[in-house]
PDB file of all heavy atoms in Angstrom:
ATOM      1  N   LYS P 107      -5.344  20.798 -19.937  1.00 94.00           N
ATOM      2  CA  LYS P 107      -5.999  22.110 -19.933  1.00 94.00           C
ATOM      3  C   LYS P 107      -7.310  22.067 -20.796  1.00 94.00           C
ATOM      4  O   LYS P 107      -8.294  22.686 -20.499  1.00 94.00           O
ATOM      5  CB  LYS P 107      -5.070  23.121 -20.490  1.00 94.00           C
ATOM      6  CG  LYS P 107      -3.926  23.481 -19.536  1.00 94.00           C
ATOM      7  CD  LYS P 107      -3.033  24.452 -20.145  1.00 94.00           C
ATOM      8  CE  LYS P 107      -1.787  24.774 -19.155  1.00 94.00           C
ATOM      9  NZ  LYS P 107      -0.782  25.679 -19.781  1.00 94.00           N
ATOM     10  N   LEU P 108      -7.293  21.230 -21.893  1.00 94.00           N
ATOM     11  CA  LEU P 108      -8.323  21.107 -22.788  1.00 94.00           C
ATOM     12  C   LEU P 108      -9.486  20.159 -22.224  1.00 94.00           C
ATOM     13  O   LEU P 108     -10.653  20.360 -22.566  1.00 94.00           O
ATOM     14  CB  LEU P 108      -7.961  20.621 -24.068  1.00 94.00           C
ATOM     15  CG  LEU P 108      -7.073  21.572 -24.926  1.00 94.00           C
ATOM     16  CD1 LEU P 108      -6.528  20.931 -26.212  1.00 94.00           C
ATOM     17  CD2 LEU P 108      -7.835  22.832 -25.357  1.00 94.00           C
ATOM     18  N   LEU P 109      -9.008  19.296 -21.387  1.00 92.00           N
ATOM     19  CA  LEU P 109     -10.025  18.289 -20.726  1.00 92.00           C
ATOM     20  C   LEU P 109      -9.894  18.389 -19.227  1.00 92.00           C
ATOM     21  O   LEU P 109      -9.532  17.418 -18.562  1.00 92.00           O
ATOM     22  CB  LEU P 109      -9.715  16.894 -21.248  1.00 92.00           C
ATOM     23  CG  LEU P 109      -9.972  16.555 -22.617  1.00 92.00           C
ATOM     24  CD1 LEU P 109      -9.488  15.181 -23.021  1.00 92.00           C
ATOM     25  CD2 LEU P 109     -11.495  16.629 -22.969  1.00 92.00           C
ATOM     26  N   PRO P 110     -10.344  19.518 -18.637  1.00 87.00           N
ATOM     27  CA  PRO P 110     -10.184  19.608 -17.146  1.00 87.00           C
ATOM     28  C   PRO P 110     -10.983  18.667 -16.323  1.00 87.00           C
ATOM     29  O   PRO P 110     -10.586  18.354 -15.198  1.00 87.00           O
ATOM     30  CB  PRO P 110     -10.657  21.034 -16.904  1.00 87.00           C
ATOM     31  CG  PRO P 110     -11.500  21.393 -18.088  1.00 87.00           C
ATOM     32  CD  PRO P 110     -10.987  20.653 -19.235  1.00 87.00           C
ATOM     33  N   ASN P 111     -12.043  18.114 -16.931  1.00 85.00           N
ATOM     34  CA  ASN P 111     -12.880  17.147 -16.182  1.00 85.00           C
ATOM     35  C   ASN P 111     -12.612  15.710 -16.522  1.00 85.00           C
ATOM     36  O   ASN P 111     -13.282  14.805 -16.038  1.00 85.00           O
ATOM     37  CB  ASN P 111     -14.323  17.416 -16.427  1.00 85.00           C
ATOM     38  CG  ASN P 111     -14.843  18.796 -15.859  1.00 85.00           C
ATOM     39  OD1 ASN P 111     -14.399  19.279 -14.842  1.00 85.00           O
ATOM     40  ND2 ASN P 111     -15.629  19.493 -16.670  1.00 85.00           N
ATOM     41  N   ASN P 112     -11.638  15.426 -17.292  1.00 91.00           N
ATOM     42  CA  ASN P 112     -11.189  14.116 -17.656  1.00 91.00           C
ATOM     43  C   ASN P 112      -9.893  13.761 -16.889  1.00 91.00           C
ATOM     44  O   ASN P 112      -8.926  14.472 -17.082  1.00 91.00           O
ATOM     45  CB  ASN P 112     -10.989  13.935 -19.156  1.00 91.00           C
ATOM     46  CG  ASN P 112     -10.810  12.414 -19.506  1.00 91.00           C
ATOM     47  OD1 ASN P 112     -10.069  11.676 -18.975  1.00 91.00           O
ATOM     48  ND2 ASN P 112     -11.531  12.111 -20.621  1.00 91.00           N
ATOM     49  N   PRO P 113      -9.874  12.661 -16.078  1.00 92.00           N
ATOM     50  CA  PRO P 113      -8.650  12.469 -15.209  1.00 92.00           C
ATOM     51  C   PRO P 113      -7.473  11.885 -16.049  1.00 92.00           C
ATOM     52  O   PRO P 113      -6.376  11.854 -15.538  1.00 92.00           O
ATOM     53  CB  PRO P 113      -9.179  11.436 -14.264  1.00 92.00           C
ATOM     54  CG  PRO P 113     -10.234  10.693 -14.927  1.00 92.00           C
ATOM     55  CD  PRO P 113     -10.975  11.734 -15.801  1.00 92.00           C
ATOM     56  N   VAL P 114      -7.726  11.420 -17.252  1.00 95.00           N
ATOM     57  CA  VAL P 114      -6.707  10.578 -17.906  1.00 95.00           C
ATOM     58  C   VAL P 114      -5.340  11.464 -18.268  1.00 95.00           C
ATOM     59  O   VAL P 114      -4.340  10.963 -17.858  1.00 95.00           O
ATOM     60  CB  VAL P 114      -7.210  10.041 -19.267  1.00 95.00           C
ATOM     61  CG1 VAL P 114      -6.094   9.520 -20.097  1.00 95.00           C
ATOM     62  CG2 VAL P 114      -8.233   8.917 -18.887  1.00 95.00           C
ATOM     63  N   PRO P 115      -5.471  12.611 -18.783  1.00 96.00           N
ATOM     64  CA  PRO P 115      -4.193  13.368 -19.015  1.00 96.00           C
ATOM     65  C   PRO P 115      -3.415  13.621 -17.631  1.00 96.00           C
ATOM     66  O   PRO P 115      -2.190  13.603 -17.650  1.00 96.00           O
ATOM     67  CB  PRO P 115      -4.679  14.733 -19.662  1.00 96.00           C
ATOM     68  CG  PRO P 115      -5.897  14.353 -20.274  1.00 96.00           C
ATOM     69  CD  PRO P 115      -6.582  13.392 -19.381  1.00 96.00           C
ATOM     70  N   SER P 116      -4.152  13.906 -16.578  1.00 95.00           N
ATOM     71  CA  SER P 116      -3.554  14.111 -15.318  1.00 95.00           C
ATOM     72  C   SER P 116      -2.975  12.832 -14.790  1.00 95.00           C
ATOM     73  O   SER P 116      -1.882  12.854 -14.126  1.00 95.00           O
ATOM     74  CB  SER P 116      -4.631  14.662 -14.290  1.00 95.00           C
ATOM     75  OG  SER P 116      -5.155  15.857 -14.733  1.00 95.00           O
ATOM     76  N   LEU P 117      -3.594  11.690 -14.978  1.00 96.00           N
ATOM     77  CA  LEU P 117      -3.020  10.428 -14.509  1.00 96.00           C
ATOM     78  C   LEU P 117      -1.737  10.158 -15.314  1.00 96.00           C
ATOM     79  O   LEU P 117      -0.768   9.638 -14.804  1.00 96.00           O
ATOM     80  CB  LEU P 117      -4.023   9.277 -14.850  1.00 96.00           C
ATOM     81  CG  LEU P 117      -5.226   9.196 -13.853  1.00 96.00           C
ATOM     82  CD1 LEU P 117      -6.349   8.420 -14.469  1.00 96.00           C
ATOM     83  CD2 LEU P 117      -4.749   8.550 -12.523  1.00 96.00           C
ATOM     84  N   ASN P 118      -1.656  10.507 -16.532  1.00 96.00           N
ATOM     85  CA  ASN P 118      -0.503  10.312 -17.403  1.00 96.00           C
ATOM     86  C   ASN P 118       0.665  11.207 -16.925  1.00 96.00           C
ATOM     87  O   ASN P 118       1.780  10.846 -16.936  1.00 96.00           O
ATOM     88  CB  ASN P 118      -0.789  10.552 -18.824  1.00 96.00           C
ATOM     89  CG  ASN P 118      -1.555   9.304 -19.444  1.00 96.00           C
ATOM     90  OD1 ASN P 118      -1.520   8.236 -18.927  1.00 96.00           O
ATOM     91  ND2 ASN P 118      -2.288   9.607 -20.551  1.00 96.00           N
ATOM     92  N   LEU P 119       0.315  12.461 -16.574  1.00 96.00           N
ATOM     93  CA  LEU P 119       1.319  13.416 -16.068  1.00 96.00           C
ATOM     94  C   LEU P 119       1.920  12.849 -14.744  1.00 96.00           C
ATOM     95  O   LEU P 119       3.173  12.866 -14.535  1.00 96.00           O
ATOM     96  CB  LEU P 119       0.782  14.807 -15.824  1.00 96.00           C
ATOM     97  CG  LEU P 119       0.916  15.748 -16.887  1.00 96.00           C
ATOM     98  CD1 LEU P 119       0.187  17.078 -16.595  1.00 96.00           C
ATOM     99  CD2 LEU P 119       2.339  16.188 -17.208  1.00 96.00           C
ATOM    100  N   LEU P 120       1.045  12.363 -13.855  1.00 96.00           N
ATOM    101  CA  LEU P 120       1.500  11.846 -12.592  1.00 96.00           C
ATOM    102  C   LEU P 120       2.442  10.602 -12.927  1.00 96.00           C
ATOM    103  O   LEU P 120       3.501  10.500 -12.292  1.00 96.00           O
ATOM    104  CB  LEU P 120       0.340  11.385 -11.738  1.00 96.00           C
ATOM    105  CG  LEU P 120       0.724  10.702 -10.413  1.00 96.00           C
ATOM    106  CD1 LEU P 120       1.574  11.625  -9.532  1.00 96.00           C
ATOM    107  CD2 LEU P 120      -0.517  10.299  -9.633  1.00 96.00           C
ATOM    108  N   ARG P 121       1.996   9.768 -13.773  1.00 96.00           N
ATOM    109  CA  ARG P 121       2.815   8.582 -14.112  1.00 96.00           C
ATOM    110  C   ARG P 121       4.176   8.976 -14.666  1.00 96.00           C
ATOM    111  O   ARG P 121       5.258   8.376 -14.309  1.00 96.00           O
ATOM    112  CB  ARG P 121       2.100   7.675 -15.145  1.00 96.00           C
ATOM    113  CG  ARG P 121       2.782   6.360 -15.393  1.00 96.00           C
ATOM    114  CD  ARG P 121       2.845   5.490 -14.168  1.00 96.00           C
ATOM    115  NE  ARG P 121       3.580   4.259 -14.355  1.00 96.00           N
ATOM    116  CZ  ARG P 121       3.810   3.468 -13.422  1.00 96.00           C
ATOM    117  NH1 ARG P 121       3.348   3.612 -12.213  1.00 96.00           N
ATOM    118  NH2 ARG P 121       4.549   2.387 -13.679  1.00 96.00           N
ATOM    119  N   LEU P 122       4.221   9.989 -15.557  1.00 95.00           N
ATOM    120  CA  LEU P 122       5.459  10.479 -16.135  1.00 95.00           C
ATOM    121  C   LEU P 122       6.391  10.952 -14.993  1.00 95.00           C
ATOM    122  O   LEU P 122       7.607  10.571 -15.004  1.00 95.00           O
ATOM    123  CB  LEU P 122       5.211  11.586 -17.134  1.00 95.00           C
ATOM    124  CG  LEU P 122       6.402  12.211 -17.813  1.00 95.00           C
ATOM    125  CD1 LEU P 122       7.095  11.189 -18.657  1.00 95.00           C
ATOM    126  CD2 LEU P 122       5.994  13.376 -18.639  1.00 95.00           C
ATOM    127  N   TYR P 123       5.882  11.764 -14.104  1.00 94.00           N
ATOM    128  CA  TYR P 123       6.800  12.265 -12.997  1.00 94.00           C
ATOM    129  C   TYR P 123       7.216  11.118 -12.147  1.00 94.00           C
ATOM    130  O   TYR P 123       8.462  11.041 -11.732  1.00 94.00           O
ATOM    131  CB  TYR P 123       6.069  13.301 -12.195  1.00 94.00           C
ATOM    132  CG  TYR P 123       5.699  14.565 -12.940  1.00 94.00           C
ATOM    133  CD1 TYR P 123       4.489  15.212 -12.757  1.00 94.00           C
ATOM    134  CD2 TYR P 123       6.617  15.157 -13.753  1.00 94.00           C
ATOM    135  CE1 TYR P 123       4.145  16.328 -13.409  1.00 94.00           C
ATOM    136  CE2 TYR P 123       6.287  16.325 -14.482  1.00 94.00           C
ATOM    137  CZ  TYR P 123       5.085  16.868 -14.280  1.00 94.00           C
ATOM    138  OH  TYR P 123       4.749  18.098 -14.960  1.00 94.00           O
ATOM    139  N   TYR P 124       6.315  10.207 -11.832  1.00 94.00           N
ATOM    140  CA  TYR P 124       6.666   9.092 -10.927  1.00 94.00           C
ATOM    141  C   TYR P 124       7.675   8.222 -11.560  1.00 94.00           C
ATOM    142  O   TYR P 124       8.712   7.854 -10.919  1.00 94.00           O
ATOM    143  CB  TYR P 124       5.458   8.248 -10.633  1.00 94.00           C
ATOM    144  CG  TYR P 124       5.760   6.870  -9.996  1.00 94.00           C
ATOM    145  CD1 TYR P 124       6.198   6.859  -8.684  1.00 94.00           C
ATOM    146  CD2 TYR P 124       5.657   5.745 -10.743  1.00 94.00           C
ATOM    147  CE1 TYR P 124       6.548   5.602  -8.174  1.00 94.00           C
ATOM    148  CE2 TYR P 124       6.046   4.479 -10.093  1.00 94.00           C
ATOM    149  CZ  TYR P 124       6.411   4.459  -8.910  1.00 94.00           C
ATOM    150  OH  TYR P 124       6.789   3.260  -8.330  1.00 94.00           O
ATOM    151  N   ILE P 125       7.564   7.820 -12.839  1.00 91.00           N
ATOM    152  CA  ILE P 125       8.483   6.893 -13.407  1.00 91.00           C
ATOM    153  C   ILE P 125       9.862   7.519 -13.615  1.00 91.00           C
ATOM    154  O   ILE P 125      10.892   6.714 -13.719  1.00 91.00           O
ATOM    155  CB  ILE P 125       7.929   6.392 -14.784  1.00 91.00           C
ATOM    156  CG1 ILE P 125       8.534   4.970 -15.111  1.00 91.00           C
ATOM    157  CG2 ILE P 125       8.150   7.330 -15.911  1.00 91.00           C
ATOM    158  CD1 ILE P 125       7.942   4.365 -16.303  1.00 91.00           C
ATOM    159  N   LEU P 126       9.887   8.825 -13.727  1.00 90.00           N
ATOM    160  CA  LEU P 126      11.201   9.487 -13.738  1.00 90.00           C
ATOM    161  C   LEU P 126      11.819   9.786 -12.327  1.00 90.00           C
ATOM    162  O   LEU P 126      12.824  10.324 -12.226  1.00 90.00           O
ATOM    163  CB  LEU P 126      11.102  10.812 -14.519  1.00 90.00           C
ATOM    164  CG  LEU P 126      10.841  10.641 -15.996  1.00 90.00           C
ATOM    165  CD1 LEU P 126      10.659  12.064 -16.617  1.00 90.00           C
ATOM    166  CD2 LEU P 126      11.959   9.971 -16.623  1.00 90.00           C
ATOM    167  N   ASP P 127      11.036   9.368 -11.262  1.00 89.00           N
ATOM    168  CA  ASP P 127      11.489   9.523  -9.953  1.00 89.00           C
ATOM    169  C   ASP P 127      11.525  11.044  -9.553  1.00 89.00           C
ATOM    170  O   ASP P 127      12.397  11.471  -8.833  1.00 89.00           O
ATOM    171  CB  ASP P 127      12.831   8.827  -9.679  1.00 89.00           C
ATOM    172  CG  ASP P 127      13.058   8.627  -8.112  1.00 89.00           C
ATOM    173  OD1 ASP P 127      12.056   8.478  -7.411  1.00 89.00           O
ATOM    174  OD2 ASP P 127      14.203   8.666  -7.709  1.00 89.00           O
TER     175      ASP P 127
END
Side-chain angles (χ1 to χ4, degrees):
K107 290 176 182 176
L108 293 171
L109 290 175
N111 295 323
N112 190 316
V114 168
S116 299
L117 285 161
N118 286 338
L119 263 175
L120 176 59
R121 186 66 186 175
L122 179 64
Y123 295 137
Y124 166 73
I125 203 171
L126 291 176
D127 200 27

